Amino acid sequence: MKAQSTAEVYARRTIPYWVKIVALFFVSWIFIYGNRAILTPVIGEVKAEFGMTNAQIGLMNSLFFLAYTVVQIPAGIVGDTFSKKWVLIPGFFLSGVCLAITGAAESLWIVTYAWALSGVGQGTYYGPQFALSSQAIPKKYRTLGSAIINSGSAFGLSLGFMVSSYFTLSQGYSWRISFYLFAALTIMVSLIMWMIIKEQPNIRREKEKNMQKAPSFTILSMKVLFTNRNLLVSYAISFCSLYGFSVMVTWLPYYLQTERGFGGSEAGVVSSLLAWASLPGALAFSWLCDRLGKRKLLMAILIPCAALSTLVLAYSHDSVFIISALICYGLTGKLALDPVLIAFVADNAPKELYGTAFGVYNFVAMSSTIFAPYLTGYLADGIGSMEIGFYFSAGLLVISVFALAFAREKGRT
C-alpha cells in the first residue's frame, strides 16, 4: 500500500511528456524565427559591405524561403513514413551550422548559399514538429498547446530584432556577431531535442506497414490533402497571411528607418512590438478556439483586423498610429491566427497523415515568402517606396476573407 502511494506521488510530480514537448518546441521556435530576424535590422550594413541593392537583398531572403519551402512536403512524407524525430533534429542542427557559415562568409555568393542552406535545415522542422505535438497534446488542449508552441516565434522575432539592433546599431559591433550567437544556441537546442523527443504513438506494426507501402501512401496523402474543402481554404488563408508577415519580417525595421523617421535601434524595438503583442492575442484566441470550437468565426474576426492594421502601417506617417497599427497587427495577425489555423488543419486531416498534412499546409503558406521579399524590394527600387508592399499585403488579406466563406465548421467536407 505504501509502495502504491509513493508511486502515485511520483506520478503526480512527473512532468507529462506532452508538457515537455510543448516547452521544447516553444524554445525551438524562438530560434527558427530569431535566426531569420537577425538579418533584418542590419540589412543596411550587409548591403553596404557587399554592394547590394534592395532587390538583391530581397532575393537573398527569397532564396532562403524557396529552400525552406521545397523541403516541406518531402520532410512531412519522410517523417510519416520513417521517423519524424530523425527528420526534424538533423535539419535543425544543419540550420545552426549554416547560420554560423553565413556569419563567417566573406563572399556574397557564400553568404547567399549558406543562408539558403540554413533555410533547408529549417524546412525540415514544421511538418514533423506539429505532427509530433498534435499526437502528444491531449485534444482538449490542442489549440492552446499549439499557441504556446507557436508563441516561441514571437519571442524569437523580438529577440532577433533587438539583439541584432543592439549589438550592431547601438554598440557598433559587426553584424556577424549575432549570427555566431544564434548559431551556437541553435546547435545546443538540437542536442536537447535528441534527448527529449520520443517517436510516438505509432504502433510498430503500422509503421512497418507504411514503410512497405510508401509509394501508395504518398499518392493517398496527396489525394486526401487536396480534395478536402476546409484544408484547401486553410492553404489559401495561410498563403495570404504569411505573405504580409514575411514582408514585415524582411523589411519592417528598415522601412521604419528609411521611410518613417525612426532611429536604427529604435526601429528594432518598435518592430518587436508586433511580436510581443501577438503573445496575448495568440493565447486568448486559442483559448477561445478550444472553448468554443468555432475556428471559422474567430478567423473571420482576426483577418479583417490584420488587414486594416497593415493598411494603417502603409498609409500613416504618424508614429503613434504606426505603433498602434503594429500592436493591433500583433494581436490579430499571422502569429495570432496560426494556432487557430493549425487546429483547423488537425481537425480536418487524417491523423496518420499529420506530418504530410502540415508539410503541405506550410509548403503552400511558405510559397508566398519566395515572392514577398524580392517583389517588395524590386518595387521599392522602382517606385522609391516600400509602401506598395504593405498595400499589396493588405489586399491579399482581404482576398483571404472571401476564401474563408467557403469553409465549413466542424471539419465537414
Side-chain angles (χ1 to χ4, degrees), residues 329-369:
Y329 180 86
L331 288 169
T332 61
K334 189 261 180 188
L335 294 179
L337 180 65
D338 265 359
V340 182
L341 273 172
I342 290 165
F344 194 59
V345 172
D347 288 344
N348 290 278
K351 291 184 179 180
E352 66 273 14
L353 302 181
Y354 267 176
T356 309
F358 284 116
V360 171
Y361 164 82
N362 206 39
F363 171 83
V364 176
M366 294 305 300
S367 297
S368 67
T369 65

Side-chain angles (χ1 to χ4, degrees), residues 54-354:
N54 285 329
Q56 287 174 324
I57 197 78
L59 179 61
M60 179 176 163
N61 257 340
S62 289
L63 290 174
F64 171 93
F65 288 117
L66 173 62
Y68 179 94
T69 301
V70 297
V71 177
Q72 296 299 306
I73 296 177
I77 293 173
V78 174
D80 281 336
T81 307
F82 298 101
S83 169
K84 298 175 180 64
K85 176 178 180 178
W86 295 113
V87 170
L88 187 154
I89 295 174
F92 203 85
F93 180 84
L94 174 66
S95 71
V97 171
C98 291
L99 193 69
I101 295 173
T102 304
E106 298 292 340
S107 160
L108 174 60
W109 291 108
I110 295 176
V111 165
T112 301
Y113 285 124
W115 186 240
L117 282 174
S118 180
V120 171
Q122 288 195 16
T124 67
Y125 182 76
Y126 192 98
Q129 182 264 286
F130 276 114
L132 287 166
S133 61
S134 294
Q135 289 173 343
I137 300 171
K139 189 173 182 179
K140 63 180 178 178
Y141 301 125
R142 179 178 289 163
T143 313
L144 182 59
S146 295
I148 294 171
I149 290 171
N150 204 54
S151 67
S153 59
F155 279 93
L157 190 60
S158 297
L159 194 66
F161 282 158
M162 292 192 295
V163 169
S164 187
S165 297
Y166 174 77
F167 280 119
T168 301
L169 303 180
S170 293
Q171 299 300 312
Y173 291 103
S174 168
W175 59 268
R176 301 172 188 272
I177 189 169
S178 299
F179 283 74
Y180 295 143
L181 174 62
F182 276 75
L185 292 172
T186 300
I187 292 170
M188 186 183 305
V189 171
S190 71
L191 298 177
I192 297 172
M193 286 181 179
W194 175 71
M195 293 185 288
I196 292 178
I197 296 175
K198 300 174 184 176
E199 195 70 54
Q200 72 135 55
N202 291 339
I203 300 172
R204 182 180 300 175
R205 183 173 55 190
E206 292 180 354
K207 182 173 284 190
E208 290 174 353
K209 183 179 178 181
N210 285 338
M211 291 172 66
Q212 292 170 1
K213 297 183 178 181
S216 60
F217 171 78
T218 302
I219 294 171
L220 174 64
S221 302
M222 297 301 102
K223 182 179 178 181
V224 171
L225 301 179
F226 283 101
T227 55
N228 182 294
R229 175 186 296 198
N230 283 351
L231 289 178
L232 292 175
V233 170
S234 73
Y235 303 156
I237 293 174
S238 63
F239 180 95
C240 296
S241 175
L242 191 52
Y243 182 97
F245 186 71
S246 66
V247 169
M248 294 198 185
V249 170
T250 303
W251 293 112
L252 182 58
Y254 187 69
Y255 167 72
L256 295 178
Q257 291 174 48
T258 57
E259 298 193 31
R260 292 298 183 264
F262 287 83
S265 59
E266 182 187 17
V269 172
V270 170
S271 297
S272 72
L273 293 175
L274 177 158
W276 292 122
S278 73
L279 295 173
L283 293 174
F285 283 109
S286 63
W287 179 82
L288 281 173
C289 190
D290 278 335
R291 191 171 182 83
L292 303 176
K294 302 293 185 181
R295 325 293 198 202
K296 181 177 178 180
L297 174 62
L298 289 173
M299 287 189 278
I301 295 171
L302 292 171
I303 298 171
C305 290
L308 180 61
S309 302
T310 307
L311 282 173
V312 172
L313 184 63
Y315 179 78
S316 180
H317 288 255
D318 186 281
S319 60
V320 174
F321 282 104
I322 290 172
I323 291 172
S324 299
L326 284 174
I327 293 173
C328 184
Y329 180 86
L331 288 169
T332 61
K334 189 261 180 188
L335 294 179
L337 180 65
D338 265 359
V340 182
L341 273 172
I342 290 165
F344 194 59
V345 172
D347 288 344
N348 290 278
K351 291 184 179 180
E352 66 273 14
L353 302 181
Y354 267 176

